[in-house]
Amino acid sequence: MANSQRGLTTMKPTRIIIISAVLLFAITAIALAQQNPAQKPSDVLSLFFRNHLDRILSPIGQRVPVPLPHARVAELREKFADQWSKAPDVDKPMYQAAVAVCDAVSAAMDERQKAIASLQGSAAVHGPSDLGAHRKDIPTRGTRADAQLAGLELQREGHEEQNRKQEAAQNDNFFNMQLKANWSQRAAQLRQNINALYSRERDAERSAQQPAAADTITLDKPIQVKVKYGTAMITAGTTLPVVSRNANGVVVQYMWAKVCCYRRDAN
């Protein structure tokens, strides 16, 4: 009997410690949840923009290729689309707008890749420098004058060939510069479009956070209503909160009472 009592005595502190630990864990989890509420789409997109948007819209033709975050954008889009499908109606517009932002960023990355491909293609294909001119060889037979004339002709052809190469290089450089300038202008337009879509998403968030407008009616003429201790006259222009609506009329809150101030069969 004494042994069983000692066993019970040793069990009680252990159980108390376990229960205390469970309670502490629960309290800590609740506190962390309150400190780290679910992130809004704008918070996630803002962090993404800080890390990636400038690189996506940076100039093309750099020696070191710019890595594009295709996988991250696809991940964000899938997340927002899932939240969109599960959210209440009041929150759906902000997730829909967040998906539109992801689609715009994906389209910007696709355009960047096409611009880079065009630039690389122009670098691989140079303008023609040989216009089909036939070089005159130095004759093995003939007078010294003929040889001198042939040598002068070779020098002339050499100068012409050099000039043609310089002109082709200038044309290639001009075309490449034009492609880079075109991308810079397009990148500015893409940034403006992405920012506009992001602003719409922020507006949708603010609309979702605003409380729903109260259902009220404003009397266009004075009306007499029954109250607990008699009747009361409500003057025209009074705005009253609607408690309920039905086929026969509208019940509103007047002072401390709920009264029917409008009957459809009266009109």
Side-chain angles (χ1 to χ4, degrees):
M1 185 66 179
N3 291 335
S4 61
Q5 289 179 351
R6 284 196 299 269
L8 290 174
T9 303
T10 57
M11 286 291 292
K12 289 181 180 179
T14 303
R15 293 178 62 185
I16 293 173
I17 292 174
I18 294 174
I19 294 173
S20 300
V22 172
L23 290 174
L24 179 62
F25 176 79
I27 294 172
T28 304
I30 293 173
L32 290 175
Q34 293 175 346
Q35 294 175 1
N36 299 287
Q39 282 185 309
K40 296 178 293 185
S42 62
D43 296 332
V44 179
L45 292 171
S46 178
L47 178 61
F48 174 84
F49 290 160
R50 287 198 299 269
N51 292 335
H52 301 288
L53 188 58
D54 286 342
R55 290 206 302 268
I56 293 173
L57 302 177
S58 62
I60 60 175
Q62 304 179 31
R63 292 184 178 180
V64 179
V66 174
L68 299 179
H70 288 284
R72 179 56 177 161
V73 174
E75 178 186 354
L76 290 178
R77 191 193 189 283
E78 182 179 0
K79 174 183 176 181
F80 293 142
D82 182 65
Q83 292 173 323
W84 178 10
S85 65
K86 298 177 181 178
D89 291 342
V90 68
D91 291 338
K92 286 184 182 296
M94 68 179 178
Y95 292 116
Q96 182 180 7
V99 169
V101 174
C102 293
D103 290 340
V105 174
S106 294
M109 290 190 292
D110 292 341
E111 287 200 37
R112 179 184 179 85
Q113 288 181 315
K114 291 179 182 179
I116 292 175
S118 297
L119 184 62
Q120 292 174 342
S122 68
V125 180
H126 300 285
S129 59
D130 186 359
L131 300 182
H134 179 67
R135 175 176 293 179
K136 295 183 179 180
D137 297 328
I138 298 177
T140 56
R141 297 180 181 180
T143 63
R144 178 175 296 181
D146 293 336
Q148 290 177 346
L149 290 175
L152 293 175
E153 184 67 19
L154 288 176
Q155 290 180 1
R156 184 185 65 79
E157 289 182 356
H159 288 307
E160 290 179 352
E161 179 71 14
Q162 184 177 3
N163 291 337
R164 285 192 294 268
K165 288 182 178 180
Q166 291 177 351
E167 184 178 357
Q170 291 175 353
N171 291 336
D172 291 341
N173 184 59
F174 174 80
F175 186 67
N176 292 343
M177 292 296 294
Q178 188 63 43
L179 288 176
K180 294 178 181 180
N182 291 343
W183 165 251
S184 296
Q185 294 176 359
R186 181 56 181 160
Q189 296 173 353
L190 293 171
R191 185 185 295 274
Q192 184 177 5
N193 180 51
I194 292 172
N195 288 338
L197 292 173
Y198 177 70
S199 296
R200 292 181 189 175
E201 194 283 323
R202 293 291 305 274
D203 292 340
E205 285 184 4
R206 285 189 286 267
S207 297
Q209 293 171 357
Q210 292 177 355
D215 187 8
T216 61
I217 62 171
T218 301
L219 300 179
D220 57 356
K221 59 183 178 180
I223 187 171
Q224 188 176 24
V225 297
K226 292 182 179 181
V227 293
K228 187 174 182 179
Y229 298 105
T231 60
M233 181 66 68
I234 308 177
T235 60
T238 303
T239 300
L240 301 169
V242 176
V243 176
S244 63
R245 296 174 182 266
N246 52 53
N248 295 324
V250 177
V251 177
V252 298
Q253 184 77 32
Y254 177 68
M255 302 296 286
W256 298 277
K258 296 178 181 178
V259 297
C260 184
C261 68
Y262 172 75
R263 294 187 182 276
R264 296 182 184 276
D265 56 5
N267 292 341

